[in-house]
């Protein structure tokens, strides 16, 4: 593993959880827009069923198409932003970047796909215990890497000027903002 420079600060659990929640809200808005655009009638029927069942004190399961559309939107959203911008909009808003732990560069497609599958898989399988599992995995290593980071060889760092500006680079070398 490459020696991480001293000025690198790893993103903590609370900040990462907040970003995850915000990104899920963004993806939900996209999902609802798509569902209303392409499945408006079905959405209306489900909403009526939900209201009737709630009045009767019964639980109604989420229709499969809604779940598939939401997970697909969140997957495309996460993969695109991790690949293109080294972080989702919420991660970037909270000054975080997702990088390859070995090189300090951005992640490749295989890494972001694996990262998403593990992150969302843990969330679906563990349900409300997912934050506890991810926090435990983060607190068990110095780089605060969660389970999905360990599997995908990624690390979430705080975005500082020190990462972008490298005063030791010569004018002939381009300053690559994707590396440590």
């Amino acid at each position: 593993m490459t020696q991480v420079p001293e000025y690198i600060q790893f993103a903590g659990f609370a900040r990462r959880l907040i970003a995850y929640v915000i990104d899920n809200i963004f993806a939900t808005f996209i999902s609802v827009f798509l569902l209303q655009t392409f499945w408006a009638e079905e959405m209306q029927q489900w909403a009526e069923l939900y209201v009737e069942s709630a009045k009767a004190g019964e639980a109604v399961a989420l229709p499969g198409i809604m779940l598939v559309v939401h997970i697909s939107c969140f997957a495309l959203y996460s993969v695109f932003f991790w690949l293109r911008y080294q972080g989702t909009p919420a991660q970037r808003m909270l000054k975080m970047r997702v990088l390859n732990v070995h090189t300090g560069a951005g992640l490749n497609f295989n890494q972001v796909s694996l990262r998403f599958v593990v992150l969302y898989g843990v969330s679906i399988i563990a349900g409300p215990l997912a934050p506890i599992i991810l926090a435990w995995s983060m607190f068990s290593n110095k780089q605060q890497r969660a389970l999905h980071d360990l599997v995908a060889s990624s690390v979430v760092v705080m975005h500082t000027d020190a990462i972008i500006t490298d005063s030791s680079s010569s004018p002939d070398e381009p300053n690559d903002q994707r590396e440590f």
Side-chain angles (χ1 to χ4, degrees):
M1 184 181 315
T2 305
Q3 183 67 22
V4 178
E6 291 179 19
Y7 57 81
I8 297 297
Q9 180 183 5
F10 301 103
F13 176 74
R15 183 177 293 258
R16 292 176 64 173
L17 180 62
I18 290 167
Y20 178 78
V21 170
I22 292 170
D23 284 325
N24 239 313
I25 291 169
F26 288 162
T28 299
F29 281 122
I30 295 167
S31 301
V32 169
F33 172 77
L34 291 173
L35 287 165
Q36 286 293 0
T37 302
F38 298 106
W39 294 281
E41 188 175 317
E42 291 84 355
M43 289 287 294
Q44 181 63 35
Q45 291 172 355
W46 181 81
E48 290 169 2
L49 175 64
Y50 181 81
V51 170
E52 290 172 19
S53 298
K55 287 179 183 175
E58 300 171 357
V60 177
L62 192 65
I65 189 68
M66 292 175 73
L67 190 59
V68 168
V69 169
H70 177 69
I71 292 173
S72 299
C73 283
F74 197 53
L76 292 172
Y77 172 94
S78 298
V79 167
F80 171 77
F81 285 110
W82 284 335
L83 274 174
R84 179 70 177 100
Y85 299 104
Q86 298 174 345
T88 61
Q91 288 172 326
R92 297 298 293 209
M93 188 171 55
L94 294 172
K95 308 281 188 219
M96 294 184 283
R97 293 173 70 186
V98 183
L99 304 173
N100 183 313
V101 73
H102 301 294
T103 65
L107 303 179
N108 62 38
F109 183 77
N110 290 338
Q111 286 176 294
V112 297
S113 300
L114 186 58
R115 189 172 197 275
F116 179 81
V117 167
V118 174
L119 171 63
Y120 221 83
V122 168
S123 298
I124 289 172
I125 293 168
L129 295 177
I132 295 168
I133 292 168
L134 296 173
W136 175 79
S137 65
M138 283 182 69
F139 296 131
S140 65
N141 63 79
K142 290 189 315 187
Q143 295 177 339
Q144 298 183 20
R145 295 170 60 206
L147 182 61
H148 53 284
D149 293 314
L150 295 167
V151 171
S153 297
S154 63
V155 64
V156 181
V157 298
M158 297 304 300
H159 179 74
T160 64
D161 292 336
I163 294 173
I164 295 175
T165 308
D166 182 9
S167 58
S168 65
S169 64
S170 70
D172 297 334
E173 295 179 23
N175 187 3
D176 186 1
Q177 295 181 359
R178 297 179 64 102
E179 297 183 356
F180 275 115

